[in-house]
Amino acid sequence: MQNNRTFHLVDWRGDFIREIGLFLADRDPRNVSVVFPHRRPALYLKRFFATEPGLDRPRMLPEMLSFEELVAKLRRGLEAKPLKPARKLDQAALLYDIAVRLRSDQGGLLAELPLERERFLPWGLRLASLLEELLRQGIEPGDLRHLEGEVIDWAAALLEHLDAFHREYLHGLEERGWSTPGLDCRRVMERLAGNADAALEEILTDRRGRDRREVVCAGFYALSGAEDAIFRTLWERDRLHVFWHSDPALALGGPAHPCTAEHRAWLRDWSARAELHGEQPPRERAPEISFVEGFDLHSQLSALRAELLRDPDAADTSIVLPDEGALLPVLHHLPEHKEVNVSMGYPLERTALYQLVETVLRCRENRDAQGRYYWRDLVELVRHPYLKMLRAEGGAGETKGPGLRQVLFWLENAIRSDEPMQDPTQWIPPYGEAPLDRLQGAEAAAVEALRRELLDACLTGFGRVETLADLAEALQRLAGLLLRAGKHLWKSYVTDAEYLARLLTSVIPQLLDTALSREPLGSGTLFALFRQICRAERVSFEAEPLTGLQVMGVLETRLLRFRRLFVLDAVEERLPGSSPVDPLLPDPLRHLLGLPDARERDNVSAYNFHRLIMGSSQAVLLYQSGVQPGALEGKSVRSRYVEQLLWEKEKELGKLVEPGDGPPLTAIRFRSDPVRHGLAEIRRTPALQALLETRLDEKGLSPSQLERYLLCPKLFFYQYMTPLRPLEEMDEDGDRAEFGTVVHEALRDFLLPHLDAQVGEVDVSSLDAAELARLFETGLSQSAFFPRMPLDSRRALLEAGTLRLRQFLASQGKTRILELERPAQGRIDLDGRTIRLKGQLDRVDRRAEGVVILDYKTGGVKRPRRGFWDDDELWRRIDLADPADRALLPDLQRSARGIQLPAYLRMYLDDRGESPYDAAWVQLAKDGRECCLFPEKWTPEERLEAVREQCSLLLRAVAAHLVGCPSFFPVEGRHCDFCDYRGPCGK
């Protein structure tokens, strides 16, 4: 073969796989090896040989390898005995032993750091990755000194001895008979430097020992050190064909696209030239590119679905996802009739399976010394969908028995109403009783056995973890339970089955097959290592056949070509994106070792993107422009590659293109109404009206119920006319309602001996504050919520409550206490209907001015707005009491700010026959002072009129609205943020 220093360049508008296939079709396949950057192009090349018209079949295929497979093959030819692949954890353990020796022999920063194995292992994994990259690049590193302040102390200490780590690492691998991909590259490069002909004999000789003359380097872009060494050696011996899929300007002359920078550098380094190969597409052929801007991912998916429905032909169509996390939303939005193949890697740490294991680990991490688990972790565990779908064994070993769903629902309710730290061994489900009355006999026994096995697999098993082998065993037990009790699921949930297979075939073997597997380690280190392993794992989907709609990642599209192309989420943080921050060797320091940095990564990303776009006939680039939530929220920016293509389109059109102008830039806008769609009113049917009237006739109303209706009629409906009840959930900061009850009871018991019937007038401020504090502390200790609170919260609540009660006593004066916690009744007269009004008065005093009703408040207090009692227009509307006046309730809420004290005044007048002088809130949440309902300057006559007339009108107006309004409508406000019925309301 005579290469004439020429590279074959396939125009990136053409079909690279077809041109390679035509090139190979006329050659003896036994004399050719084709090396691709990755495995997937080989599948398309095989399809070419199987489907291309005019080719003789059957036929032999040439050898097709990825570069990793080529290196592994060459390395096997260099070794007489097989080598054991070194696990990441083995590499980290080897580096720890090296660090201990270096600490003793060379000192430096390593001698100043606590070099425990557990603290070093996560850094050892990072150092192993760095050394592997150096080996693949063929770089002999030097020490990086004086980096204190540039990187954190651990990184500076390791980089200070990088040369020694590199040498000792290689020695340790050889001594143990271990191999790694990086070491394979190094050994092959060493052999090439020493005796290239012998080193290449493996690849250049066919199965019958004949010299194979040709190797095709197909579609590489930026070469690593190992790739450059192997391919250059073949090139210099006239054994290599280099095929590019790139900008034809590299061969024709003239300015080439900026993304081909690495190809131009390759030509210079090898002193070669590029020559166009194969059939040339027409020069006027250019992809039809359109742009779609949406606020978020949902709007992009809506546009994607519309495009796919507009042209239902899925042949030769690909959806490209720069963000792997968009895979599942995309699959859910595709038209159902589409034949879909997924070819990409999905991060294991984003899967539902990993979230289950993460929840289990968090349960273990937050466990206290008594072996009890934090209640929120337990709730998250029992709510996991995998566990809810597990079923006990049925007849003949089939999983058709009863499921765990009902028991887990019961467990969730039990956890929410128990203590913050709980012992799962104390859970005893009430089989045969509500809500588990359907589970009895054999079914109950089967479910109970599965429940106990589940607790053992998720909690008890991980509580005994001390080594990596123990962790692997616990994970194996959990996976075995999922396989056995969930075997009816995995055929339907194929992606979830892939996640489970990855855990079993990759993660667990990494934990077991390592020299560290029996070394005792702390649970924090074990779980950190597990998480770091999972962070590097990707679940691969490589579906076949290669027809139908293809969903792919950016890297999986290399060398492939599609007629229709959809690139989703084409924003700057995805294309080119940014690599995760490396705490060991940050990107600005990589050039010190000669490693590729962000510039080369950006070149690779740009080349992959533009090559893919140029090969399509129709490309739709979708991106989002909305604000990204998070601690550093900011507006998404479309990718620089999209900007470049859009700029070229603007030059062609001769004008700037703005979103919403129409093609080529379309903006997706969803309808946005000022009123939330979910907050519908509830129309009153005759049945609902009859139910309401029956309730009013039989039970009457309380001031708090009227207050609730005034706040929001829809809330009144949910709370008092439906069986819906708020989810009972423990409040770690204390139950406010129960705390209020404790305070009320303490004040009642404290003041009870001082009622007017026993002592007459009393100076409340002179009473024993210590006795009140004792009653309050006793009430707290006997309450259900107080013992469940954390110690610091209990002490804070006790001290704050005692202080507020002392302030209350100090703010009191002389008075006659007439009543404590006494019921009172009244009535509201409507046309043709009398509604009973009943409630309980916290305290009634007789003072020099008259009777004063006191209402203790442990929360906030809001007096009526100034001018409320004299607002003639508002009182005219109150007097009319028109149920059709929907604005009356919000206006009353803003002005009166409550109806409870006016109701107490009217009830006292009706029940006791005496008009009170005033009513007041006692502000226990502040300083214990009284906040009066009526203005201070009012005369007794004005107060009497307000009680007899205005309070009566106010109650009548709200009650008439309650009875006669045609619907229970929502009233939005700040109270919605704390409403128990936000879910059913739609808020």
Side-chain angles (χ1 to χ4, degrees):
M1 175 181 107
Q2 189 69 31
N3 63 50
N4 295 320
R5 319 304 294 175
T6 300
F7 290 177
H8 304 275
L9 191 151
V10 177
D11 191 325
W12 58 8
R13 296 171 300 166
D15 190 338
F16 181 78
I17 298 298
R18 184 174 187 274
E19 294 299 336
I20 286 286
L22 293 175
F23 176 80
L24 297 172
D26 298 331
R27 286 165 169 75
D28 186 344
R30 295 170 295 183
N31 292 340
V32 181
S33 289
V34 186
V35 183
F36 290 109
H38 62 122
R39 296 186 182 92
R40 191 159 183 81
L43 300 177
Y44 284 80
L45 184 57
K46 292 176 183 177
R47 185 180 68 170
F48 167 82
F49 285 121
T51 60
E52 178 69 13
L55 294 183
D56 295 333
R57 282 181 286 270
R59 63 183 298 126
M60 291 182 63
L61 296 179
E63 182 182 40
M64 304 178 198
L65 303 166
S66 68
F67 183 77
E68 289 76 9
E69 292 169 335
L70 172 63
V71 171
K73 181 176 181 179
L74 292 173
R75 175 60 193 266
R76 286 194 298 269
L78 301 178
E79 298 291 341
K81 63 178 182 179
L83 301 177
K84 177 183 177 181
R87 300 287 189 184
K88 284 290 185 182
L89 290 174
D90 289 330
Q91 298 172 41
L94 169 60
L95 291 170
Y96 171 74
D97 295 337
I98 297 171
V100 172
R101 292 197 299 271
L102 294 178
R103 175 191 177 95
S104 174
D105 298 341
Q106 300 186 20
L109 291 176
L110 270 179
E112 302 175 9
L113 296 176
L115 196 62
E116 297 95 359
R117 183 191 298 270
E118 295 187 12
R119 298 191 63 178
F120 179 85
L121 286 178
W123 285 101
L125 292 174
R126 297 186 182 99
L127 181 57
S129 297
L130 174 59
L131 294 176
E132 283 294 300
E133 185 177 7
L134 291 168
L135 292 174
R136 288 193 299 271
Q137 294 291 345
I139 296 174
E140 297 286 338
D143 295 335
L144 299 182
R145 300 181 180 276
H146 312 299
L147 293 180
E148 298 90 329
E150 298 292 331
V151 294
I152 61 178
D153 291 344
W154 269 102
L158 298 178
L159 295 176
E160 186 180 47
H161 302 287
L162 187 59
D163 177 53
F165 272 115
H166 181 261
R167 286 185 282 102
E168 293 288 334
Y169 178 69
L170 291 175
H171 177 72
L173 291 176
E174 294 178 358
E175 187 178 49
R176 290 164 174 77
W178 290 348
S179 70
T180 69
L183 182 60
D184 289 347
C185 289
R186 178 183 176 86
R187 288 289 175 257
V188 170
M189 286 187 284
E190 288 177 343
R191 185 69 178 271
L192 289 174
N195 188 344
D197 293 332
L200 294 176
E201 182 180 353
E202 178 69 19
I203 189 173
L204 297 177
T205 305
D206 64 16
R207 299 182 184 88
R208 293 180 294 176
R210 298 189 310 178
D211 187 29
R212 181 183 293 136
R213 298 183 55 82
E214 298 177 290
V215 176
V216 177
C217 168
F220 285 78
Y221 178 62
L223 297 182
S224 67
E227 290 167 346
D228 183 79
I230 294 174
F231 290 143
R232 190 190 291 262
T233 302
L234 289 168
W235 172 261
E236 291 171 350
R237 285 158 177 75
D238 289 340
R239 299 299 184 96
L240 185 73
H241 290 285
V242 177
F243 274 79
W244 284 352
H245 198 204
S246 194
D247 187 352
L250 292 173
L252 299 175
H257 197 283
C259 73
T260 61
E262 299 299 328
H263 275 163
R264 295 196 302 271
W266 191 349
L267 287 174
R268 290 194 304 270
D269 292 345
W270 285 26
S271 301
R273 62 184 179 86
E275 182 178 280
L276 285 175
H277 177 91
E279 180 181 352
Q280 303 304 306
R283 297 302 301 171
E284 63 275 6
R285 179 191 174 280
E288 177 187 340
I289 304 176
S290 57
F291 309 86
V292 178
E293 177 179 293
F295 181 81
D296 55 9
L297 178 61
H298 300 288
S299 52
Q300 296 178 71
L301 293 175
S302 174
L304 173 65
R305 181 178 176 86
E307 288 284 347
L308 293 174
L309 289 174
R310 187 176 298 114
D311 183 358
D313 184 11
D316 205 12
T317 300
S318 177
I319 299 173
V320 181
L321 305 180
D323 177 20
E324 307 96 329
L327 174 61
L328 296 184
V330 166
L331 294 180
H332 282 290
H333 281 75
L334 294 179
E336 295 182 1
H337 63 276
K338 297 290 184 184
E339 179 187 4
V340 180
N341 289 329
V342 178
S343 173
M344 63 184 300
Y346 190 75
L348 181 62
E349 64 176 347
R350 291 196 181 192
T351 65
L353 176 64
Y354 178 82
Q355 295 306 317
L356 172 60
V357 178
E358 176 65 26
T359 301
V360 170
L361 298 185
R362 196 159 52 249
C363 286
R364 174 64 180 83
E365 289 172 330
N366 295 334
R367 192 178 66 169
D368 64 10
Q370 288 75 39
R372 298 177 302 175
Y373 298 87
Y374 183 50
W375 73 279
R376 291 189 185 276
D377 296 335
L378 294 174
V379 166
E380 187 175 352
L381 178 64
V382 301
R383 286 176 60 88
H384 196 280
Y386 280 4
L387 305 188
K388 290 183 178 180
M389 292 188 289
L390 299 182
R391 305 188 70 84
E393 289 286 343
E398 296 294 330
T399 50
K400 296 180 180 179
L404 277 178
R405 184 179 297 271
Q406 287 180 275
V407 175
L408 294 181
F409 281 147
W410 175 86
L411 279 177
E412 181 181 348
N413 291 330
I415 294 169
R416 290 183 184 276
S417 59
D418 206 338
E419 298 184 354
M421 305 302 294
Q422 302 180 23
D423 182 2
T425 62
Q426 303 301 316
W427 297 340
I428 304 177
Y431 296 108
E433 303 175 10
L436 302 179
D437 47 349
R438 295 184 180 180
L439 293 175
Q440 301 182 18
E443 285 191 350
V447 169
E448 177 62 13
L450 180 57
R451 184 189 73 88
R452 291 180 178 276
E453 184 180 2
L454 176 65
L455 292 181
D456 181 68
C458 293
L459 299 176
T460 310
F462 285 86
R464 298 188 293 262
V465 167
E466 295 181 352
T467 67
L468 290 171
D470 294 339
L471 179 58
E473 182 181 352
L475 290 169
Q476 183 74 51
R477 188 184 305 114
L478 176 59
L481 174 63
L482 295 176
L483 281 173
R484 187 179 66 260
K487 62 184 178 183
H488 58 290
L489 302 172
W490 309 119
K491 290 183 179 180
S492 301
Y493 299 93
V494 291
T495 56
D496 297 86
E498 288 285 348
Y499 309 153
L500 191 56
R502 193 69 176 185
L503 178 69
L504 289 168
T505 60
S506 180
V507 176
I508 292 178
Q510 288 186 62
L511 299 175
L512 279 175
D513 188 16
T514 172
L516 285 175
S517 63
R518 300 297 174 182
E519 291 282 341
L521 299 171
S523 60
T525 302
L526 292 173
F527 297 163
L529 293 174
F530 169 78
R531 289 172 175 131
Q532 200 158 346
I533 290 173
C534 290
R535 201 171 295 124
E537 288 292 327
R538 306 177 69 80
V539 181
S540 298
F541 299 99
E542 297 182 358
E544 294 188 55
L546 304 179
T547 56
L549 182 64
Q550 302 290 317
V551 180
M552 315 178 78
V554 175
L555 293 179
E556 286 76 14
T557 65
R558 288 174 293 175
L559 304 185
L560 306 182
R561 175 179 177 272
F562 299 94
R563 175 182 62 87
R564 296 175 69 203
L565 193 64
F566 299 91
V567 181
L568 205 69
D569 216 9
V571 292
E572 185 68 13
E573 55 262 37
R574 306 295 181 197
L575 288 171
S578 57
S579 300
V581 176
D582 185 355
L584 178 60
L585 187 68
D587 197 79
L589 301 179
R590 291 177 63 86
H591 72 280
L592 298 177
L593 296 176
L595 292 173
D597 56 11
R599 179 193 60 80
E600 182 171 321
R601 290 195 299 271
D602 289 353
N603 286 341
V604 173
S605 179
Y607 167 76
N608 290 332
F609 176 82
H610 287 288
R611 187 212 61 82
L612 182 65
I613 296 296
M614 292 304 174
S616 65
S617 298
Q618 177 189 0
V620 181
L621 307 180
L622 304 100
Y623 63 91
Q624 61 175 308
S625 61
V627 175
Q628 294 295 306
L632 301 175
E633 65 178 22
K635 189 177 180 65
S636 293
V637 178
R638 59 191 174 207
S639 170
R640 66 188 73 170
Y641 310 145
V642 176
E643 288 284 5
Q644 183 177 0
L645 294 174
L646 187 58
W647 177 66
E648 293 174 356
K649 181 64 68 173
E650 289 174 337
K651 288 195 299 181
E652 177 184 329
L653 297 175
K655 65 175 183 178
L656 294 178
V657 178
E658 297 291 339
D661 291 348
L665 178 54
T666 305
I668 302 299
R669 299 285 186 264
F670 291 139
R671 187 181 70 181
S672 179
D673 295 336
V675 179
R676 297 175 185 263
H677 295 291
L679 300 185
E681 61 184 37
I682 299 172
R683 305 295 300 178
R684 292 200 193 182
T685 63
L688 272 182
Q689 185 66 23
L691 178 63
L692 173 63
E693 294 179 0
T694 301
R695 176 186 175 84
L696 295 178
D697 292 339
E698 294 179 354
K699 299 182 179 181
L701 285 172
S702 68
S704 61
Q705 291 171 344
L706 279 175
E707 185 117 336
R708 193 55 53 93
Y709 183 80
L710 178 64
L711 183 66
C712 178
K714 193 173 182 181
L715 173 59
F716 176 91
F717 169 79
Y718 282 126
Q719 186 166 357
Y720 298 114
M721 297 188 62
T722 70
L724 293 177
R725 291 297 175 264
L727 180 65
E728 293 186 8
E729 183 167 295
M730 175 186 48
D731 191 343
E732 295 179 65
D733 296 326
D735 188 322
R736 291 188 176 185
E738 195 172 348
F739 174 71
T741 301
V742 170
V743 173
H744 279 64
E745 291 177 351
L747 289 171
R748 179 200 62 197
D749 295 342
F750 176 71
L751 295 175
L752 192 60
H754 307 286
L755 280 174
D756 180 53
Q758 283 80 23
V759 299
E761 189 176 68
V762 62
D763 184 357
V764 179
S765 63
S766 65
L767 300 180
D768 186 5
E771 175 63 15
L772 177 57
R774 186 191 64 81
L775 290 172
F776 172 65
E777 184 175 359
T778 301
L780 279 180
S781 62
Q782 293 176 352
S783 66
F785 75 92
F786 188 72
R788 299 200 301 251
M789 296 174 63
L791 177 60
D792 56 344
S793 299
R794 293 204 304 268
R795 295 184 62 179
L797 183 62
L798 180 60
E799 292 182 9
T802 302
L803 175 62
R804 297 291 184 264
L805 291 176
R806 288 179 181 273
Q807 291 175 333
F808 158 75
L809 282 184
S811 68
Q812 293 288 294
K814 292 184 178 181
T815 187
R816 291 179 182 272
I817 303 176
L818 300 180
E819 300 178 11
L820 291 172
E821 304 285 352
R822 288 284 303 279
Q825 295 189 9
R827 66 180 184 277
I828 302 175
D829 294 322
L830 301 178
D831 296 335
R833 181 185 301 275
T834 298
I835 301 175
R836 288 183 295 117
L837 193 61
K838 53 186 179 179
Q840 183 167 282
L841 308 180
D842 290 344
R843 176 177 151 193
V844 180
D845 284 7
R846 183 177 297 279
R847 300 177 182 175
E849 301 86 357
V851 172
V852 177
I853 298 173
L854 300 179
D855 188 47
Y856 298 132
K857 285 295 183 184
T858 55
V861 172
K862 290 185 178 181
R863 295 185 63 182
R865 181 179 54 84
R866 180 177 297 181
F868 163 68
W869 299 101
D870 301 321
D871 189 341
D872 294 337
E873 175 59 27
L874 179 60
W875 283 102
R876 185 189 65 80
R877 294 167 60 193
I878 294 173
D879 188 24
L880 290 175
D882 183 6
D885 186 0
R886 294 176 56 138
L888 177 61
L889 295 185
D891 290 346
L892 271 180
Q893 180 64 32
R894 283 191 294 269
S895 297
R897 297 176 177 173
I899 200 174
Q900 197 165 13
L901 285 192
Y904 287 160
L905 290 171
R906 185 66 205 186
M907 290 163 59
Y908 191 87
L909 173 62
D910 292 342
D911 200 12
R912 311 296 197 262
E914 180 180 0
S915 179
Y917 176 81
D918 206 343
W921 296 278
V922 180
Q923 303 178 90
L924 297 174
K926 291 185 177 180
D927 52 10
R929 296 183 182 274
E930 297 175 3
C931 179
C932 295
L933 176 66
F934 294 148
E936 184 179 353
K937 295 182 180 181
W938 269 16
T939 65
E941 292 75 16
E942 290 174 317
R943 295 170 185 272
L944 179 61
E945 180 184 0
V947 174
R948 290 181 180 274
E949 300 296 334
Q950 290 181 288
C951 290
S952 180
L953 286 175
L954 189 59
L955 296 175
R956 179 178 177 274
V958 177
H961 206 283
L962 169 62
V963 173
C965 186
S967 68
F968 294 97
F969 58 90
V971 176
E972 295 187 71
R974 295 180 60 185
H975 59 275
C976 294
D977 296 335
F978 311 100
C979 181
D980 292 323
Y981 298 93
R982 294 185 62 185
C985 178
K987 181 67 174 179

